[in-house]
Amino acid sequence: MSLLPLYRKLALKYHPERNKESGAPDRFTQIAEAYDVLSDGKKKAVFDQFGEEGLKKGVPHGDDHTEAWTHGYTFHGDAFKVFSEFFGGENPFSEWYDRRDGELDMGFGGLHGRGRRQQDSPIERDLYLTLEEIYHGCIKKMKISRRVMNEDGHTSSIRDKILTITVKPGWKSGTKITFAKEGDQGPNTIPADIVFILKDKPHTRFERVQNDLIYTATIQLGEALTGCNVKIQTLDNRELNIPINEIITHGYQKKVLNEGMKISNPKDSSKLYGDLYIKFNIVFPQSLTPEKKQLIKAALL
């Protein structure tokens, strides 16, 4: 068992507020002292090479062994300080704890409630998708690099990980996909959640508003007055041919039912798609011949 879970297990077992045996306080202090040494790379190196005597008396240096390169180690004696720094609280036992089969349930992040280790703030990243990807749904694999604790419990390394996002058809812009505790690991913190926020990529034909799609058709003035057909390629590669028989005035929109974005969680089984709204950009002629002006006057005035 590595150092962190071993200290956690023994410190909880012999904590004087929980263990009322006469030898528990001394055992609790010994455990804290061992953790204080083994969690420090330099102290651990001295202890591994020279043992407890070398650690506490200092290690001789040089050929004549007359000079010590380390001062003798003395434990500060505050086992409760070690405990509170490890679990992230001043007095973790003061109010919040629960029991499971006679053991304190520490979870991943220490004691529940007051005194728990604090979780790092969420790491948010935008995830830009095309409207086609959102319409059909897709799978995105996101590579992240994060700091991971090594087996020794006090060193860490950078490792890559692939997070898989299954995008459901019709997800709205702003949808958040959360990967709990996938941030950097540390001995005294809870890893941050990684959150991807869905964003629409700009599209060449459509703009999305909630579940509806907006399409802007460019037509000539004559078509606005006499009618026309608007051809639109949909997100699933169909071609719509929409007849416009009304006179198109400023601000006019044509609504085409059920030709918008898929609805991710439809409340009504009869309404699975949003609607398509056609806006119009009317192009006026740069000039007219006198003859055409007379014809327009005769027709309109």
Side-chain angles (χ1 to χ4, degrees):
M1 183 179 294
S2 61
L3 179 62
L4 291 180
L6 182 60
Y7 171 76
R8 179 184 133 186
K9 177 181 179 180
L10 295 176
L12 289 171
K13 181 177 180 180
Y14 290 100
H15 195 289
E17 290 190 23
R18 182 176 178 227
N19 192 322
K20 301 304 181 182
E21 296 179 2
S22 60
D26 290 340
R27 185 65 173 148
F28 183 68
T29 300
Q30 292 171 359
I31 293 166
E33 182 178 4
Y35 178 76
D36 187 56
V37 171
L38 298 178
S39 62
D40 184 288
K42 291 183 178 179
K43 296 174 188 173
K44 183 177 183 299
V46 174
F47 178 80
D48 288 344
Q49 186 173 358
F50 299 100
E52 183 177 0
E53 184 177 357
L55 176 70
K56 293 186 174 181
K57 292 184 177 180
V59 179
H61 174 69
D63 294 336
D64 56 1
H65 291 245
T66 59
E67 186 179 356
W69 65 268
T70 63
H71 297 289
Y73 165 77
T74 301
F75 180 52
H76 53 68
D78 191 346
F80 293 97
K81 178 182 178 182
V82 176
F83 184 85
S84 65
E85 288 178 350
F86 181 88
F87 289 114
E90 291 298 327
N91 186 5
F93 284 95
S94 62
E95 181 177 353
W96 297 96
Y97 63 90
D98 71 48
R99 296 182 180 275
R100 178 182 299 170
D101 296 330
E103 291 290 334
L104 281 174
D105 179 17
M106 299 302 297
F108 180 79
L111 287 165
H112 299 291
R114 194 173 74 185
R116 62 182 290 180
R117 289 184 292 167
Q118 294 297 312
Q119 184 175 20
D120 291 337
S121 300
I123 300 169
E124 296 187 345
R125 296 289 182 267
D126 291 337
L127 174 62
Y128 283 91
L129 300 176
T130 66
L131 292 185
E132 285 83 358
E133 289 175 321
I134 299 170
Y135 184 90
H136 294 288
C138 63
I139 294 176
K140 290 290 184 179
K141 294 185 180 295
M142 312 300 293
K143 181 179 179 180
I144 63 169
S145 296
R146 60 176 188 154
R147 187 171 297 280
V148 177
M149 295 300 296
N150 296 325
E151 288 297 324
D152 60 15
H154 57 84
T155 62
S156 61
S157 57
I158 301 297
R159 298 179 190 175
D160 293 336
K161 185 172 183 177
I162 302 297
L163 302 179
T164 300
I165 301 173
T166 302
V167 178
K168 295 182 179 180
W171 270 1
K172 294 180 180 179
S173 181
T175 297
K176 293 185 177 183
I177 306 98
T178 300
F179 292 87
K181 301 175 184 176
E182 289 290 357
D184 290 340
Q185 297 178 0
N188 297 312
T189 59
I190 302 173
D193 295 341
I194 295 181
V195 181
F196 293 95
I197 304 174
L198 190 148
K199 302 287 185 181
D200 295 345
K201 280 186 179 179
H203 199 271
T204 56
R205 301 191 305 280
F206 299 107
E207 175 188 353
R208 178 163 72 143
V209 178
Q210 298 297 324
N211 296 316
D212 299 325
L213 294 176
I214 311 297
Y215 178 85
T216 299
T218 298
I219 61 173
Q220 301 298 317
L221 176 60
E223 294 176 308
L225 297 173
T226 62
C228 60
N229 288 327
V230 177
K231 292 183 178 180
I232 303 174
Q233 183 183 2
T234 64
L235 294 175
D236 56 351
N237 288 321
R238 292 176 295 115
E239 186 176 273
L240 301 179
N241 195 352
I242 309 298
I244 309 296
N245 299 315
E246 302 86 355
I247 293 176
I248 300 172
T249 58
H250 177 72
Y252 172 82
Q253 296 183 32
K254 178 72 173 181
K255 181 178 180 179
V256 184
L257 294 174
N258 299 316
E259 287 294 349
M261 181 63 69
K262 286 183 179 178
I263 299 175
S264 60
N265 293 303
K267 297 179 181 179
D268 184 352
S269 60
S270 64
K271 185 64 174 176
L272 303 179
Y273 295 83
D275 300 320
L276 171 64
Y277 289 85
I278 305 174
K279 294 182 177 181
F280 295 90
N281 176 34
I282 303 173
V283 179
F284 283 71
Q286 297 294 315
S287 62
L288 290 172
T289 64
E291 292 79 7
K292 288 183 178 179
K293 289 182 181 179
Q294 288 299 324
L295 290 173
I296 292 174
K297 286 182 180 180
L300 299 178
L301 302 177

